[in-house]
Amino acid sequence: MPSDIRSFFGGKPAAAVEKPPPKAEATSKKRGRARKVVDDDDDDEVVTPKKATPKKAKIPEPEAQETTADDFFGKGRKPKRTEAVRPEVKKTNGVAKDTSKNTPKDKASSRAKKDSTYTGLDVDEFPDDMDADEGGDNFKSEAKVGRRAGDDYQEGTDDDDDLPLLPTKKRASGKQGKAKAEDDDFEPDGDVDIKEDDDFVVPDVEEDIKPAKKPIKKRKAAAIDSDDDDLEVEEKQPSKKRTSPLKKSRQTTKPKMVTGQHEESAEMKAIFDSIPTVNAPEPPPKAEDGAKPKFQYGAHANSATPADALDPSQFPQGQENCLAGLTFVFTGQLQRLGREQGQTLIKQYGGKVTGAPSKKTSYVVLGDDAGPKKLQTIKQHGIKTINEDGLFALISKLPANGGDSAAAEKFAEKQAKEEETIRKAAAEMEREEKARLAAKAKTKPQSSGQAGSQSKGKEPDAPDNRLWTVRYAPTQLNQICGNKAQVDKLARWLRAFPKNQKTKFKMPGADGSGTFRAVMIHGPPGIGKTTAAHLVAKLEGYDVVESNASDTRSKKLVETGLKGVLSTTSLMGYFSKGAEEVEEGKKKLVLIMDEVDGMSAGDRGGVGALAAVCKKSQIPMILICNDRKLPKMKPFDFVTYDMPFRRPTTEMIRSRISTIAFREGLKMPPNIINALIEGTGADIRQVVNMISTAKLDSQNMTYDESKDMSKAWEKHIVLKPWEMVGKILGGGLFNAASQSSLNEKQELYFNDHEFAPLMLQENYLGTKPQRANKYQGNPKMHSLATLDLVSKAADSISDGDLADRMIHGTQQQWSLMPAHAMFSFVRPASFVAGTMAGHQTRFTAWLGKNSNQGKLMRMVKEIQGHMRLRVSADRNEIRQTYMPLLFDRLVRRLEDDGKEAVPDVIDLMDHYFLTREDWDAIYEIGVGDNDMEKHKIESQAKATFTRLYNKASHPMPFMKASQVLAPKRAPAKDRPDLDEAFDESEDDAPPDDVKDDEEDNDLSKDKYVKAPMKKKPAAGASKKRKSKAADNDDEEEEEEPKTKKGKTKARAKK
Amino acid sequence: MARAESSKDAASNGVKANTNGAPSNYELPWVEKYRPVFLDDIVGNTETIERLKIIAKDGNMPHIIISGTPGIGKTTSVLCLARQLLGDAYKEAVLELNASDERGIDVVRNRIKGFAQKKVTLPAGRQKIVILDEADSMTSGAQQALRRTMEIYSGTTRFAFACNMSNKIIEPLQSRCAILRYSRLTDAQVVKRLYQICKAENVEYSDDGIAALVFSAEGDMRQAINNLQSTHAGFGLVSGDNVFKVVDSPHPVKVQAMIKSCQEQKIDEALDSLKELWTLGYSSHDIISTMFKVTKTIPSLSEHTKLEFIREIGFTHMRILEGVQTYLQLAGCVAKLCKLNMKPQLFTVPNA
């Protein structure tokens, strides 16, 4: 294993680079960063082998093999390579690799001497192995990244070996021996030894490597090049490393300024240093038994506002934009600052808030119960951690625009760049405007005097009357904010349409859109769906035929109206003056169906007809809707190619908005635009509307104004039942700091007063009540307190039911509604409100249970009706006393004895005038031991039973069927009436139980009534039955089994 | 534009009778008689109105949604805006539809769309306006049908919606509009207008009468004016007592005092104030529902206490609705409220 050993030794000098000459550090921060990566790697490795057992030693081997292979190739190619840059990049990266291979081995060998610990450590063996493996993977991936960057990394090692490093090798090998010895010496303090090692080696390396290598300066340049890659690696690392190195902290505690390429100025540094930091707690150690303490994600999401939160008025006032360029991460629950408040605060001063700490994070604002993952990352990168005080200090101390700190400068640079693009875009817009005006002037020479060729710098005489949303609608694809991939896909599909048409839509194409004649764009309002569709169509040379919700789109009209469109070509431009040629491409048509989900009353059958058209259309169709998941959009499944449009991110919209603002002479800093965009939920159109309104009376806008405005413009929509209950239970409305009044909570109920109590009842057990939190330390008291709260909530819910009875009872006391709101919704929530972490909001089960109850009740009623001639018991008695017995004799018999029991069973049934359905009902009604699920009757017995039963005729009690007739499928209560447009006939397969109901209805109608014979009894069995039934005096009864036959067949079909 | 300027001198017009062509002896409701004609006359919501004024001056009105509680000038401001924007062309270029008109999807598709397509010659910067009052009562289908119409014809037609609850307007429409939220008028704003009207109508009034009007109206200008007119027509003099005779609901302040004494466990005082209300002749329904409302908003109680109070009040309300509308029930309720705040030990019988 020569190569193995070589890498083994090669590692030592490489590792030594960890302590580069101090001047190098001073001159290049970047390089320092790269170095840091190495450092971290090393740290991790240090710990992994700590617990390692002999197994460990094997791990490097495959890697060593790999290296040899690489070496092989490297050697083959090596002579050709002469560039100077390579070795340098290799150097930094090589370090990472080499240490990775090296240290474990090293440690393992040292471990080998420490026999006494073997047994004790065996337990940990496997998890650690996995970790080590992962570590290995990690490095491989790193290596890959490195290769992509410079592709020289492996070869680099060769350089090391083959060229003048031989002496080094020897030295190092000697060193190795020494290191081992030292290891032994330092054994009790296993952690430090590595460090020692390093220190020890450093001088050698400086001597050896430096002369051997090309000048180190170049290497620095290369390091800067590869910096990005390093960052990438960095990002990957935290997620992979699961070992929580407890000792590591010692090595990494030296805080580093993550920002900037250059040094901070002295006064900035003073400010930064004066910020009180807090010590991050140790990340919790990994549980020894492998049971990793599960961190509840989102556990803190709802408890965002602490109980004793500060009032916004107590926040410090800082200079404008003072946090510019700094990145913050919040973790844990802060004592005096709600997370949202904190984020707002930071954004207000131009800072950036991200979700997870990374190398780029400037500060972590740390609270209690911080996530272990985050703590680990903090440790790893030595990020500064502060608390609220630190944050406030930052805000109050930093000068405007972040002063001249490195971060701020970088930020300013970025901003300048952004501004540049904005300016460019604005200029572009201006050009377009001019072109448009010029065109207008040309077509209307008479009006050019007033509106046309005026210079655009000042307002033209006739102001542009168009709305901003129209004026600044995108005119090029790259002006559409977000959803780039989807827009491209749309364009591609449209372009490929003629080709697909020729292949008869058989070729799916790269993205599978080739087989579709229609696409469906769906997404929330205001993100540019219609715009994108129109623009793409225009740019692809199609003429647009548009139909939207303002057109009637009933089945008939869709069918007839679209037929006209579908078989025509465009005449657009046909009558224009001969000057412009009518291009061939212009004859293409695209049909844009806007607001497909807006088909409602009066559009009966439209959806189905449209879906049918989509299947055979010869022109491309683009359908647009907001909510694809609505049941009435179901006919479009598999008919259209779905293109979900998502809300664009803030960054995507911001540049566009800034451009518009700039163009209109409105001064808007980015953080204000951000606030507007976030406030509207990334609704571009609304943001444009907002700034156009704001422009009316002012030329600029402050942060608070923008906040207020987006709050005022907040789209109020009726909350869905889920959101409602989530808000009241988990929304922190009952926090002491929350501003919401009792009235506001009551308003939540009125979002949907029918569902609110039901949803609350379904979900009130799923919270961790806030009120019980004070017993946090005492599990017993805590659960008792929780129980008490839950009981109070349940009491209140039942109080609510009393009120509900009066509201929905005979009296209809609607004046009790507010009381009901309080009883059934607000008050229970006040007890159990807390976090809903780990609980998925369920839809109320009451509706299903209620209808099930109704069904079962009906069954019992029917059975009682049939048995009436034999027994004198009311419904409840039948259910409670007869039913268990009947179950035993009818169902269990059949289960136990199989088909032998069938005649007895039928006899018993006939005795009590029970029908076959009643048997099914009895089977279904059983509870407890008699539960249907617990008794599976073999199909053979059941089939025999059915056959025999149908063979014979059975006595029937005389009673009006109408009395037990199930209510004709309750009018679709749960469907909103706008579903009228949804054509039932097009709906494939309604839910099964519905079918069942329908059948039952038909049957029960037929049962005692003489009905025309619908079906010829098909089976021979029924013929026989007929002959047998000949002596049957009652004609009505004769009809019965026949229908029954039909029914069982229908059942079988199902 | 000339109109907008002229509305300056119309500041005085604000209090002049706006007879609207009705015969002079015919008594118009004062609400209609003194409905502002110009944006300058509208009180309250200053910022929003300022913006509307700018729109009225410059033209190019965006689509707007005005939402807010009743009686705070939503419809008035839309109408004023339209009048000031369009002037003489008002008749031709404005389509006003309210809940009394049929506004189903067919109307939207035919009448509104037809209106939007209509050509009306207007000065630059002016568009036809479709005013949809009480838009929250439009079906969602009809609103859906408006979506593209608003966009396609935005060059010539702008829409203005007025509604009480903006959540009844579908999200796509909200996204297309500037949303102006009107808040309740402050007492001072209502008072100012009431004084103007009193002056114009030569109403005798006392300050406590006006205060009572303002108090009972809770920021609803229309109600305040209506009550003023009723009081004036019924009693002549607008004084506090007379106003409360007209408004006729238990005085919230008294009820609040009662709840407060309950909170402080002063049962005698609480019962006294209850007796006072009862002897004034208020029905137990009125008393109990006022108690409910007051308790909900009383600032001195903690939320938990409020909910406990509300529970008792709610149960009493139920009993009253069941038909037991006696003084005893109310007294019992008050006693229970007092008890809620007392130590439970006080109610255990000591072991002899």
Side-chain angles (χ1 to χ4, degrees):
Chain A
M1 274 176 39
S3 66
D4 193 35
I5 288 178
R6 183 209 19 125
S7 71
F8 192 77
F9 293 142
K12 271 302 138 188
V17 185
E18 285 167 28
K19 291 272 159 144
K23 55 185 179 229
E25 191 179 19
T27 43
S28 158
K29 278 253 159 149
K30 283 287 182 191
R31 196 181 156 288
R33 190 180 295 179
R35 179 178 61 84
K36 240 32 184 190
V37 177
V38 173
D39 227 3
D40 289 340
D41 297 342
D42 207 0
D43 295 340
D44 268 357
E45 289 303 327
V46 169
V47 175
T48 332
K50 240 206 130 98
K51 291 177 196 161
T53 55
K55 267 206 158 184
K56 266 285 115 92
K58 279 181 210 146
I59 290 160
E61 260 180 19
E63 282 184 350
Q65 226 91 60
E66 197 181 282
T67 329
T68 33
D70 282 333
D71 277 354
F72 177 72
F73 291 122
K75 264 171 200 154
R77 258 189 289 158
K78 197 203 72 179
K80 282 175 219 150
R81 297 182 30 246
T82 47
E83 312 95 354
V85 192
R86 277 227 183 87
E88 277 94 45
V89 179
K90 157 227 54 185
K91 192 71 204 303
T92 36
N93 288 334
V95 167
K97 201 190 78 182
D98 283 345
T99 28
S100 78
K101 262 173 238 152
N102 206 354
T103 20
K105 243 230 134 162
D106 182 9
K107 277 322 266 187
S109 63
S110 71
R111 170 71 62 219
K113 288 174 187 136
K114 212 174 155 191
D115 294 11
S116 57
T117 46
Y118 271 89
T119 42
L121 288 165
D122 266 351
V123 194
D124 291 327
E125 185 176 326
F126 291 102
D128 278 335
D129 270 355
M130 274 165 59
D131 285 346
D133 276 345
E134 260 174 56
D137 285 351
N138 202 2
F139 288 121
K140 260 181 241 163
S141 71
E142 239 172 84
K144 261 174 221 152
V145 176
R147 208 172 301 163
R148 201 194 51 197
D151 119 277
D152 34 11
Y153 174 119
Q154 310 292 358
E155 292 89 331
T157 7
D158 293 352
D159 286 350
D160 265 352
D161 298 335
D162 295 7
L163 289 174
L165 274 185
L166 276 171
T168 327
K169 229 198 244 175
K170 270 189 200 129
R171 289 275 300 266
S173 74
K175 176 97 352 217
Q176 184 61 34
K178 245 190 240 171
K180 265 185 196 166
E182 266 174 23
D183 275 354
D184 283 350
D185 294 346
F186 281 90
E187 204 56 61
D189 193 357
D191 191 35
V192 191
D193 54 6
I194 274 277
K195 267 229 134 137
E196 290 289 295
D197 254 356
D198 295 348
D199 289 344
F200 202 79
V201 177
V202 169
D204 302 332
V205 178
E206 290 217 2
E207 290 165 12
D208 292 340
I209 292 182
K210 249 205 199 154
K213 292 279 139 166
K214 308 260 152 106
I216 209 148
K217 288 270 182 308
K218 268 194 190 163
R219 166 171 145 205
K220 257 176 251 154
I224 289 171
D225 283 351
S226 67
D227 182 61
D228 283 353
D229 297 298
D230 285 340
L231 285 178
E232 256 180 69
V233 171
E234 203 52 42
E235 229 113 273
K236 234 173 274 170
Q237 269 174 359
S239 62
K240 283 217 176 138
K241 282 181 191 156
R242 222 163 292 144
T243 49
S244 54
L246 284 174
K247 303 246 168 104
K248 198 178 74 186
S249 54
R250 196 137 56 87
Q251 293 179 9
T252 44
T253 33
K254 37 188 168 169
K256 356 170 191 180
M257 209 56 217
V258 193
T259 53
Q261 299 121 305
H262 51 265
E263 278 299 320
E264 307 286 1
S265 66
E267 65 265 39
M268 288 311 293
K269 200 161 192 161
I271 292 177
F272 281 128
D273 287 343
S274 71
I275 303 308
T277 55
V278 291
N279 286 331
E282 294 291 321
K286 205 175 142 197
E288 287 297 307
D289 52 355
K292 201 173 161 222
K294 242 198 176 150
F295 177 68
Q296 287 279 9
Y297 288 100
H300 302 295
N302 293 326
S303 54
T305 318
D308 45 359
L310 285 178
D311 198 65
S313 60
Q314 290 164 267
F315 292 160
Q317 292 295 319
Q319 303 280 330
E320 197 181 324
N321 250 347
C322 60
L323 299 180
L326 297 178
T327 311
F328 293 81
V329 171
F330 281 84
T331 181
Q333 167 104 47
L334 293 175
Q335 295 289 324
R336 284 170 297 128
L337 188 66
R339 186 174 289 190
E340 203 174 306
Q341 286 175 315
Q343 287 172 347
T344 321
L345 194 65
I346 286 176
K347 283 180 193 163
Q348 182 179 346
Y349 290 112
K352 197 173 148 203
V353 180
T354 54
S358 77
K359 184 125 193 165
K360 287 178 179 167
T361 309
S362 326
Y363 287 99
V364 173
V365 186
L366 198 71
D368 302 337
D369 303 336
K373 187 102 229 167
K374 284 179 179 167
L375 286 180
Q376 221 168 295
T377 326
I378 293 166
K379 283 262 167 263
Q380 214 160 311
H381 301 312
I383 302 166
K384 272 193 191 175
T385 49
I386 54 175
N387 59 9
E388 308 90 298
D389 294 327
L391 178 61
F392 293 159
L394 265 178
I395 290 174
S396 45
K397 281 181 187 166
L398 281 176
N401 286 326
D404 51 357
S405 76
E409 236 155 81
K410 218 162 137 194
F411 177 78
E413 229 168 75
K414 213 171 105 196
Q415 226 173 1
K417 223 158 108 196
E418 206 165 89
E419 200 153 297
E420 183 60 29
T421 47
I422 289 168
R423 236 170 262 272
K424 239 183 253 166
E428 169 77 10
M429 217 179 259
E430 202 161 298
R431 233 187 351 266
E432 263 168 38
E433 189 83 346
K434 253 183 211 160
R436 196 185 66 88
L437 280 175
K440 211 167 136 198
K442 219 163 55 176
T443 50
K444 282 203 249 164
Q446 72 275 16
S447 69
S448 66
Q450 44 165 307
S453 54
Q454 292 212 353
S455 85
K456 279 305 292 177
K458 34 195 133 69
E459 284 281 273
D461 278 353
D464 195 343
N465 281 339
R466 292 172 302 162
L467 290 176
W468 285 23
T469 45
V470 180
R471 201 186 307 172
Y472 296 114
T475 51
Q476 284 158 22
L477 277 189
N478 61 15
Q479 286 175 348
I480 295 177
C481 301
N483 294 307
K484 289 262 186 290
Q486 300 293 350
V487 174
D488 287 346
K489 222 189 252 179
L490 183 65
R492 233 178 298 135
W493 171 79
L494 213 49
R495 210 173 302 141
F497 191 84
K499 205 183 89 215
N500 287 330
Q501 204 168 13
K502 279 185 199 117
T503 59
K504 299 216 175 321
F505 300 98
K506 290 284 185 330
M507 317 272 282
D511 51 4
S513 62
T515 53
F516 292 100
R517 297 157 196 252
V519 292
M520 164 84 71
I521 301 176
H522 55 98
I527 59 170
K529 296 182 301 296
T530 310
T531 312
H534 278 263
L535 196 58
V536 168
K538 197 178 130 217
L539 293 179
E540 293 296 324
Y542 280 87
D543 279 341
V544 174
V545 178
E546 189 189 333
S547 167
N548 54 52
S550 67
D551 307 306
T552 315
R553 292 183 288 190
S554 68
K555 187 174 182 186
K556 216 172 106 195
L557 282 170
V558 167
E559 278 169 356
T560 56
L562 289 187
K563 210 175 273 168
V565 174
L566 297 181
S567 53
T568 46
T569 51
S570 170
L571 280 180
M572 187 89 99
Y574 199 80
F575 297 107
S576 69
K577 285 173 217 149
E580 304 136 56
E581 291 283 304
V582 180
E583 317 151 42
E584 195 63 24
K586 272 289 179 196
K587 287 187 178 168
K588 293 185 290 184
L589 272 183
V590 60
L591 177 68
I592 296 183
M593 268 284 175
D594 214 342
E595 297 142 23
V596 179
D597 49 355
M599 288 183 159
S600 53
D603 297 337
R604 184 160 265 281
V607 173
L610 191 58
V613 169
C614 289
K615 280 185 208 148
K616 46 180 200 282
S617 162
Q618 287 303 318
I619 65 167
M621 291 172 69
I622 301 175
L623 301 124
I624 301 173
C625 69
N626 286 132
D627 197 346
R628 181 70 181 80
K629 285 192 224 92
L630 287 178
K632 71 174 172 185
M633 305 301 288
K634 224 179 160 196
F636 293 111
D637 292 353
F638 310 115
V639 176
T640 59
Y641 183 69
D642 281 5
M643 287 190 186
F645 269 46
R646 311 214 180 292
R647 295 185 195 276
T649 61
T650 314
E651 283 72 30
M652 292 171 177
I653 306 176
R654 190 176 58 216
S655 66
R656 181 83 190 151
I657 299 295
S658 321
T659 312
I660 295 174
F662 177 80
R663 178 80 184 70
E664 291 287 342
L666 198 61
K667 197 176 155 288
M668 290 185 107
N671 57 342
I672 287 168
I673 298 182
N674 283 356
L676 283 181
I677 294 170
E678 276 158 27
T680 53
D683 182 337
I684 308 170
R685 175 171 40 209
Q686 191 162 27
V687 177
V688 174
N689 276 335
M690 278 166 113
I691 58 174
S692 84
T693 312
K695 170 71 173 24
L696 285 175
D697 57 357
S698 60
Q699 293 299 315
N700 52 24
M701 205 178 200
T702 66
Y703 186 84
D704 287 334
E705 271 171 20
S706 75
K707 270 272 167 211
D708 289 347
M709 188 158 187
S710 43
K711 185 152 172 34
W713 284 51
E714 194 183 348
K715 278 172 279 184
H716 285 234
I717 40 174
V718 179
L719 291 180
K720 302 243 160 54
W722 287 271
E723 297 157 359
M724 214 153 64
V725 73
K727 202 160 177 199
I728 190 109
L729 286 180
L733 286 183
F734 290 95
N735 272 333
S738 132
Q739 302 287 323
S740 71
S741 70
L742 217 47
N743 262 332
E744 280 162 35
K745 286 162 201 157
Q746 190 189 329
E747 278 309 308
L748 274 179
Y749 165 90
F750 284 108
N751 269 309
D752 191 336
H753 60 89
E754 280 175 344
F755 269 111
L758 292 177
M759 289 298 291
L760 186 102
Q761 184 268 334
E762 186 70 33
N763 291 293
Y764 79 104
L765 292 176
T767 62
K768 292 192 185 55
Q770 203 177 22
R771 283 199 189 181
N773 275 354
K774 57 185 163 197
Y775 302 106
Q776 202 74 62
N778 188 342
K780 194 175 167 199
M781 281 308 287
H782 187 257
S783 50
L784 279 177
T786 311
L787 195 64
D788 184 46
L789 288 171
V790 165
S791 127
K792 278 180 182 156
D795 281 349
S796 186
I797 291 174
S798 52
D799 288 347
D801 281 351
L802 292 179
D804 185 61
R805 181 50 57 88
M806 290 189 67
I807 294 173
H808 292 106
T810 47
Q811 301 275 312
Q812 306 247 332
Q813 308 281 12
W814 290 96
S815 59
L816 275 176
M817 279 298 266
H820 185 230
M822 289 294 172
F823 283 9
S824 68
F825 193 67
V826 181
R827 199 160 166 265
S830 79
F831 294 114
V832 294
T835 67
M836 287 182 85
H839 172 78
Q840 200 183 358
T841 310
R842 285 190 304 261
F843 188 68
T844 178
W846 184 86
L847 294 175
K849 298 261 186 242
N850 186 43
S851 85
N852 203 28
Q853 184 203 19
K855 188 174 131 213
L856 296 179
M857 199 61 105
R858 220 164 48 229
M859 286 176 177
V860 176
K861 203 168 163 187
E862 194 160 336
I863 291 171
Q864 189 241 345
H866 289 167
M867 289 172 70
R868 175 172 281 170
L869 292 181
R870 292 285 178 209
V871 301
S872 59
D874 70 0
R875 223 190 307 171
N876 297 325
E877 271 176 279
I878 293 271
R879 175 69 191 89
Q880 284 157 17
T881 54
Y882 282 81
M883 218 72 112
L885 210 62
L886 284 173
F887 189 90
D888 208 38
R889 298 290 302 277
L890 296 180
V891 180
R892 221 171 254 172
R893 268 305 297 281
L894 214 57
E895 187 192 11
D896 295 342
D897 300 349
K899 53 187 172 190
E900 280 87 60
V902 170
D904 288 350
V905 168
I906 293 182
D907 274 353
L908 185 70
M909 282 169 65
D910 285 350
H911 185 71
Y912 281 110
F913 302 102
L914 294 174
T915 65
R916 182 73 213 321
E917 282 88 60
D918 294 338
W919 186 89
D920 285 332
I922 290 170
Y923 184 37
E924 195 181 332
I925 272 173
V927 289
D929 278 346
N930 296 347
D931 189 41
M932 192 171 161
E933 295 301 318
K934 291 182 192 156
H935 299 271
K936 290 278 174 244
I937 295 172
E938 51 180 302
S939 52
Q940 206 191 356
K942 209 167 176 180
T944 317
F945 171 56
T946 311
R947 200 178 63 239
L948 286 178
Y949 188 89
N950 287 342
K951 230 187 240 174
S953 61
H954 303 281
M956 276 289 128
F958 296 97
M959 67 178 299
K960 277 269 180 257
S962 58
Q963 284 174 355
V964 292
L965 221 177
K968 187 85 177 133
R969 216 178 124 217
K973 225 190 273 168
D974 47 343
R975 295 192 177 170
D977 60 324
L978 47 127
D979 265 19
E980 278 170 316
F982 170 42
D983 194 3
E984 298 279 325
S985 66
E986 292 297 330
D987 189 6
D988 35 5
D992 273 1
D993 51 332
V994 176
K995 201 181 241 172
D996 201 13
D997 275 358
E998 272 168 358
E999 261 166 30
D1000 281 347
N1001 290 343
D1002 288 348
L1003 270 176
S1004 43
K1005 237 188 271 164
D1006 289 358
K1007 203 178 285 175
Y1008 308 106
V1009 186
K1010 185 170 177 179
M1013 207 199 291
K1014 280 190 217 130
K1015 267 188 221 155
K1016 282 274 171 223
S1022 53
K1023 261 180 215 151
K1024 268 182 240 158
R1025 179 203 46 78
K1026 239 188 183 174
S1027 59
K1028 249 187 211 168
D1031 50 350
N1032 231 333
D1033 45 353
D1034 197 341
E1035 218 181 6
E1036 285 173 11
E1037 274 187 30
E1038 193 183 332
E1039 290 301 317
E1040 203 269 329
K1042 247 178 268 165
T1043 42
K1044 192 139 286 169
K1045 187 89 196 164
K1047 161 147 193 181
T1048 45
K1049 276 185 93 182
R1051 280 248 166 93
K1053 252 193 281 174
K1054 274 191 296 174
Chain B
M1 223 171 282
R3 284 270 154 174
E5 254 73 80
S6 79
S7 75
K8 274 276 166 262
D9 55 52
S12 52
N13 180 41
V15 287
K16 236 181 270 161
N18 169 18
T19 44
N20 261 356
S24 53
N25 59 345
Y26 180 72
E27 184 84 352
L28 262 178
W30 289 357
V31 224
E32 288 307 322
K33 199 167 168 186
Y34 296 102
R35 187 187 281 276
V37 185
F38 298 103
L39 283 170
D40 287 323
D41 306 331
I42 297 175
V43 293
N45 298 296
T46 333
E47 264 178 56
T48 324
I49 301 287
E50 279 307 317
R51 257 182 206 158
L52 291 183
K53 276 186 213 161
I54 296 171
I55 292 175
K57 202 161 94 237
D58 296 347
N60 201 12
M61 174 188 117
H63 301 304
I64 52 174
I65 292 177
I66 300 181
S67 77
T69 47
I72 54 177
K74 299 181 301 291
T75 315
T76 308
S77 39
V78 171
L79 291 177
C80 288
L81 180 63
R83 207 173 290 124
Q84 265 172 261
L85 268 175
L86 297 169
D88 297 331
Y90 181 88
K91 261 211 181 76
E92 227 181 292
V94 171
L95 176 66
E96 191 194 342
L97 293 172
N98 57 37
S100 70
D101 302 296
E102 204 201 337
R103 288 185 304 187
I105 191 161
D106 293 332
V107 173
V108 171
R109 279 177 181 160
N110 302 325
R111 212 167 138 201
I112 295 182
K113 212 172 156 189
F115 176 79
Q117 288 162 339
K118 195 170 80 170
K119 170 81 182 156
V120 178
T121 315
L122 290 169
R126 301 288 186 272
Q127 290 90 7
K128 285 170 287 168
I129 297 175
V130 177
I131 298 173
L132 291 167
D133 211 347
E134 291 131 54
D136 39 3
S137 65
M138 287 174 75
T139 65
S140 92
Q143 295 184 33
Q144 292 273 6
L146 277 175
R147 289 170 61 175
R148 263 316 254 173
T149 311
M150 283 172 67
E151 275 177 6
I152 294 173
Y153 304 106
S154 71
T156 58
T157 309
R158 300 289 156 85
F159 285 76
F161 301 88
C163 61
N164 291 135
M165 283 171 291
S166 65
N167 61 6
K168 291 281 171 63
I169 309 262
I170 60 171
E171 201 187 341
L173 287 194
Q174 293 191 35
S175 151
R176 280 170 177 77
C177 295
I179 304 174
L180 309 175
R181 286 188 208 287
Y182 279 28
S183 50
R184 281 179 192 286
L185 305 180
T186 61
D187 288 353
Q189 287 161 341
V190 181
V191 167
K192 191 174 149 223
R193 188 74 182 163
L194 286 182
Y195 277 139
Q196 286 177 347
I197 293 175
C198 289
K199 218 166 160 195
E201 290 286 332
N202 291 322
V203 178
E204 274 183 71
Y205 60 88
S206 65
D207 281 349
D208 69 320
I210 298 292
L213 280 175
V214 170
F215 183 85
S216 62
E218 294 175 26
D220 181 341
M221 177 73 83
R222 179 167 34 212
Q223 191 170 17
I225 296 176
N226 274 335
N227 289 342
L228 173 71
Q229 190 176 12
S230 323
T231 318
H232 175 66
F235 302 97
L237 173 74
V238 179
S239 66
D241 289 341
N242 289 343
V243 169
F244 278 109
K245 269 178 203 154
V246 169
V247 177
D248 196 32
S249 74
H251 202 307
V253 170
K254 280 176 189 155
V255 176
Q256 193 166 351
M258 184 172 85
I259 302 277
K260 272 220 178 96
S261 26
C262 285
Q263 183 202 0
E264 288 150 13
Q265 303 142 41
K266 296 176 189 151
I267 184 157
D268 292 328
E269 282 175 27
L271 282 176
D272 283 347
S273 34
L274 176 66
K275 188 90 195 165
E276 191 187 334
L277 286 173
W278 183 257
T279 44
L280 280 174
Y282 293 118
S283 78
S284 43
H285 286 124
D286 286 343
I287 295 176
I288 201 81
S289 53
T290 317
M291 278 170 77
F292 190 91
K293 263 186 245 162
V294 166
T295 312
K296 231 172 25 179
T297 50
I298 202 165
S300 61
L301 292 181
S302 79
E303 190 156 286
H304 178 73
T305 326
K306 274 187 203 169
L307 284 169
E308 293 302 319
F309 274 30
I310 279 174
R311 179 165 177 268
E312 287 306 333
I313 295 171
F315 274 122
T316 314
H317 195 172
M318 280 161 69
R319 274 183 218 114
I320 289 171
L321 284 175
E322 273 164 355
V324 207
Q325 307 174 8
T326 56
Y327 174 72
L328 185 66
Q329 286 299 328
L330 290 173
C333 177
V334 167
K336 274 183 194 148
L337 292 187
C338 291
K339 189 183 165 185
L340 274 179
N341 265 350
M342 292 188 189
K343 285 192 208 117
Q345 295 90 297
L346 296 175
F347 295 92
T348 48
V349 182
N351 288 328

